[in-house]
DNA sequence: AGTGATTCTCGGTCGC
DNA sequence: TGCGACCGAGAATCAC
């Protein structure tokens, strides 16, 4: 499940592999991945003959900058990119293939087929869905304690739902929200507007810290995540809450529990994170 | 208007 | 071996 640290790791490894490569053509095997332009053929024509000039990231989105266009890619749960020779046989989960002029392919594989791709003329990408509603990414200068205080204090939703909301903060997903709330000693069902200024400050700091720490370790490998080079992340060894249900809390020994909050499996320590 | 619940995309995994 | 329930990011839709 690629969240911000996994997408950042993919961005870095992929950059080394595809920068300056020229797209000769694109093959699309599962149209639902292509969200915009709606017509596959139009999508294909736009990226064809373009060179990859940069790979950026915002929240969980990868942005492949070409010469005139930008490809906005979301991996959702299981999407991955592979760079292989064009002779390599396709797998049954290969849905989009970018053929480079040097004889290599960049292949998008996605077991669940949930991933999305959008292509826009450069400059339009932040004006339209899906990037136009995105909140600040914790590694951007617009991510400030004041902003987080402002947004968290004026909603009555549970803090879990608020932190998962990409229009508030971009990049946190189920794994890292559970980790942030554990590190901040906050119960996932606390209503956001009941949090003290100190608690919000802690969330602000821990969110950035835990994401940075995970990036440093190459992300978290749950299920099948691997980076652009096919390597696994190591952050799963550092998890305190996510997936730790039934195991003793590292801080107090109480067993970590799993409940459902905001429709998501939620892991927390009932002792350290009391309501 | 804000919130939450539901539905939809999909297929691997798990329990029975 | 088979079958249904479950999971989950994010958008859309509906109910309150």
């Amino acid at each position: 499940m690629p969240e911000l640290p996994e997408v950042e790791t993919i961005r870095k490894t992929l950059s080394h592999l595809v920068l300056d490569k020229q797209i000769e053509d694109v093959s699309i095997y599962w149209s639902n991945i292509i969200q915009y332009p709606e017509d596959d053929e139009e999508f294909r024509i736009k990226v064809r003959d373009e060179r990859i000039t940069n790979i950026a990231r915002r929240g969980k989105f990868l942005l492949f900058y070409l010469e005139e266009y930008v490809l906005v890619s979301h991996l959702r749960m299981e999407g991955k990119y592979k760079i292989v020779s064009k002779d390599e046989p396709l797998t049954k989960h290969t849905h989009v293939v970018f053929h480079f002029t040097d004889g290599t392919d960049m292949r998008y594989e996605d077991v669940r087929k949930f991933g999305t791709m959008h292509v826009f003329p450069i400059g339009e990408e932040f004006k339209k869905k899906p990037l136009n509603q995105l909140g600040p990414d914790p590694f951007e200068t617009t991510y400030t304690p004041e902003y987080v205080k402002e947004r968290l204090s004026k909603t009555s939703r549970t803090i879990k739902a608020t932190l998962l909301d990409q229009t508030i903060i971009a990049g946190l997903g189920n794994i890292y929200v559970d980790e942030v709330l554990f590190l901040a000693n906050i119960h996932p069902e606390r209503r956001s507007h009941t949090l003290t200024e100190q608690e919000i400050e802690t969330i602000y700091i821990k969110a950035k810290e835990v994401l940075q720490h995970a990036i440093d370790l190459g992300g978290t490998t749950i299920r099948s995540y691997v980076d652009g080079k096919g390597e696994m992340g190591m952050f799963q060894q550092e998890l305190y809450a996510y997936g730790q249900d039934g195991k003793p809390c590292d801080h107090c020994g109480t067993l970590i529990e799993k409940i459902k909050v905001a429709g998501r499996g939620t892991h927390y320590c009932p002792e350290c994170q009391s309501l």
Side-chain angles (χ1 to χ4, degrees):
Chain A
M1 277 170 262
E3 298 182 29
L4 188 152
E6 292 74 39
V7 177
E8 176 62 14
T9 303
I10 292 165
R11 187 194 68 77
K12 283 188 211 161
T13 55
L14 224 42
S15 290
H16 292 294
L17 297 169
V18 302
L19 221 56
D20 281 333
K21 292 204 184 196
Q22 181 149 10
I23 299 168
E24 189 174 303
D25 208 350
V26 183
S27 302
I28 299 165
Y29 301 101
W30 191 259
S31 287
N32 288 1
I33 304 282
I34 311 298
Q35 300 274 313
Y36 187 88
E38 280 190 29
D39 179 35
D40 289 1
E41 188 60 14
E42 208 179 315
F43 177 96
R44 195 169 72 93
I45 290 166
K46 285 191 182 345
V47 301
R48 202 165 51 187
D49 297 328
E50 294 247 322
R51 197 169 47 85
I52 298 177
T53 63
N54 187 31
I55 308 180
R57 180 192 57 73
R58 242 180 87 63
K60 306 178 195 174
F61 289 88
L62 273 176
L63 288 76
F64 294 84
Y65 279 90
L66 310 177
E67 288 156 293
E68 290 179 70
Y69 296 96
V70 53
L71 167 68
V72 178
S73 169
H74 196 299
L75 307 169
R76 294 290 176 94
M77 272 104 77
E78 310 243 13
K80 39 187 75 75
Y81 282 101
K82 263 192 197 168
I83 312 300
V84 293
S85 159
K86 68 179 194 308
D87 302 324
E88 195 80 17
L90 298 178
T91 75
K92 64 171 175 172
H93 300 305
T94 305
H95 307 309
V96 182
V97 179
F98 299 87
H99 307 279
F100 294 123
T101 52
D102 69 353
T104 61
D105 282 352
M106 178 169 79
R107 297 185 182 171
Y108 179 74
E109 300 183 355
D110 188 341
V111 169
R112 292 282 183 283
K113 298 176 175 173
F114 273 17
T116 60
M117 292 185 193
H118 295 72
V119 163
F120 302 110
I122 291 173
E124 296 286 299
E125 68 271 31
F126 296 117
K127 297 176 185 169
K128 292 179 178 168
K129 277 188 288 186
L131 296 182
N132 63 344
Q133 298 288 10
L134 225 49
D137 179 302
F139 296 103
E140 293 170 347
T141 54
T142 47
Y143 180 74
T144 63
E146 293 72 30
Y147 168 82
V148 176
K149 275 172 203 162
E150 160 73 15
R151 294 302 300 268
L152 297 202
S153 59
K154 69 172 216 194
T155 177
S156 63
R157 303 163 77 190
T158 60
I159 186 62
K160 170 95 182 192
T162 307
L163 293 180
L164 283 173
D165 186 340
Q166 301 298 299
T167 70
I168 293 177
I169 298 172
L172 291 173
N174 208 29
I175 298 174
Y176 297 106
V177 169
D178 283 1
E179 293 304 301
V180 169
L181 292 177
F182 176 88
L183 294 170
N185 293 321
I186 294 169
H187 192 288
E189 286 176 308
R190 278 278 297 282
R191 298 284 155 175
S192 303
H193 68 277
T194 70
L195 295 170
T196 64
E197 216 165 278
Q198 189 53 250
E199 286 174 320
I200 295 181
E201 175 86 17
T202 306
I203 288 176
Y204 165 80
I205 292 167
K206 291 297 175 187
K208 197 164 172 173
E209 267 181 18
V210 73
L211 291 171
Q212 183 61 59
H213 187 193
I215 290 171
D216 292 342
L217 292 182
T220 302
T221 296
I222 299 286
R223 288 167 173 272
S224 59
Y225 160 78
V226 289
D227 68 25
K229 286 181 174 163
E231 285 166 10
M232 301 197 318
M234 296 305 287
F235 191 72
Q236 63 277 12
Q237 295 170 12
E238 311 280 317
L239 296 173
Y240 289 103
Y242 185 86
Q244 306 304 302
D245 41 309
K247 296 183 186 166
C249 167
D250 260 32
H251 292 169
C252 76
T254 304
L255 297 186
I256 300 292
E257 283 184 14
K258 183 175 182 181
I259 58 175
K260 206 175 194 78
V261 184
R264 295 286 178 264
T266 300
H267 315 72
Y268 77 111
C269 171
E271 185 65 27
C272 298
Q273 298 167 264
S274 59
L275 257 179

